[in-house]
């Protein structure tokens, strides 16, 4: 499992209806993308859920590298690049994934990034991240939860989807505009090592 995300931070006075319209128009295009676990079309709106910025920031969980590469190099990503410029694509290696107890659609997502400090036992830190994924997924209203690590910058990311707008997880809260989930049922459960 691989996780990716890019962030397009937009001007404070940007009409976020443009982002909503774009997702409404193109969101379905990845509903059957081979190798994709799921893509969440995420947005933060200045002043909503404490966000200081307007931002479009889709988050992906990939079942296969081929699916991810096909998206990035096969033309689908180029449309976004043509419209907004080429963003940095953050990439994390999957640590854990768990389904929540809710079958409902996601309303919000929470992302928490944290550095992996020097001098720690890496196996212990990664096991703790997997345990946190399981804990988040067990909470009321959780749709799913994942954890991943970027070993280049030594950063952990915890990601969770919720069926209500008052999640019980710390981090940045995003509105979920659409979810494409062709391979969600094939995402490996539990810790990934």
């Amino acid at each position: 499992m691989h996780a990716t995300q890019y962030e397009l931070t937009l001007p404070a006075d940007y009409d976020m209806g443009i982002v909503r319209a774009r997702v409404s128009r193109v969101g379905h295009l990845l509903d059957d993308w081979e190798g994709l676990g799921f893509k969440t079309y995420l947005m933060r709106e200045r002043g909503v859920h404490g966000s200081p910025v307007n931002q479009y920031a889709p988050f992906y969980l990939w079942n296969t590298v081929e699916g991810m590469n096909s998206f990035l190099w096969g033309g689908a990503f180029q449309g976004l690049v043509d419209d907004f410029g080429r963003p940095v694509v953050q990439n994390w290696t999957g640590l854990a994934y768990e389904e929540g107890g809710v079958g409902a659609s996601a309303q919000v997502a929470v992302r928490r990034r944290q550095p992996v400090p020097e001098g720690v036992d890496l196996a212990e830190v990664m096991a703790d991240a997997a345990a946190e994924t399981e804990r988040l997924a067990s909470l009321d209203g959780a749709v799913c939860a994942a954890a991943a690590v970027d070993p280049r910058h030594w950063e952990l990311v915890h990601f969770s989807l919720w069926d209500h707008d008052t999640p019980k997880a710390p981090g940045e809260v995003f509105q979920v505009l659409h979810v494409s989930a062709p391979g969600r049922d094939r995402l490996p459960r539990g810790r990934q090592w």
Side-chain angles (χ1 to χ4, degrees), residues 73-132:
W73 323 135
F77 184 62
Q78 189 64 47
L80 178 109
V81 171
D82 292 345
D83 290 347
F84 293 99
R86 187 180 67 194
V88 170
V89 178
Q90 299 164 85
N91 192 350
W92 299 272
T93 299
L95 292 173
Y97 176 76
E98 297 289 349
E99 284 287 320
V102 178
S105 62
Q107 301 299 308
V108 299
V110 177
R111 180 195 66 191
R112 180 175 46 135
R113 297 183 334 201
Q114 63 188 93
V116 177
E118 287 283 338
V120 298
D121 182 309
L122 293 174
E124 185 177 311
V125 170
M126 300 312 149
D128 288 348
E132 174 65 359

Side-chain angles (χ1 to χ4, degrees), residues 5-27:
Q5 185 176 37
Y6 47 87
E7 300 169 323
L8 302 171
T9 301
L10 303 162
D13 63 348
Y14 192 82
D15 177 3
M16 295 305 282
I18 296 169
V19 173
R20 286 183 182 89
R22 177 187 179 83
V23 171
S24 180
R25 189 177 71 252
V26 301

Side-chain angles (χ1 to χ4, degrees), residues 20-106:
R20 286 183 182 89
R22 177 187 179 83
V23 171
S24 180
R25 189 177 71 252
V26 301
H28 71 281
L29 296 176
L30 294 184
D31 286 352
D32 61 356
W33 195 270
E34 187 63 37
L36 176 63
F38 65 75
K39 173 183 180 177
T40 53
Y41 296 76
L42 304 179
M43 180 180 86
R44 290 198 303 161
E45 202 164 1
R46 189 169 185 224
V48 177
H49 297 296
S51 177
V53 297
N54 286 329
Q55 192 174 66
Y56 177 55
F59 188 93
Y60 304 73
L61 285 181
W62 297 95
N63 281 317
T64 69
V65 172
E66 294 83 4
M68 179 177 67
N69 287 344
S70 178
F71 172 76
L72 291 170
W73 323 135
F77 184 62
Q78 189 64 47
L80 178 109
V81 171
D82 292 345
D83 290 347
F84 293 99
R86 187 180 67 194
V88 170
V89 178
Q90 299 164 85
N91 192 350
W92 299 272
T93 299
L95 292 173
Y97 176 76
E98 297 289 349
E99 284 287 320
V102 178
S105 62

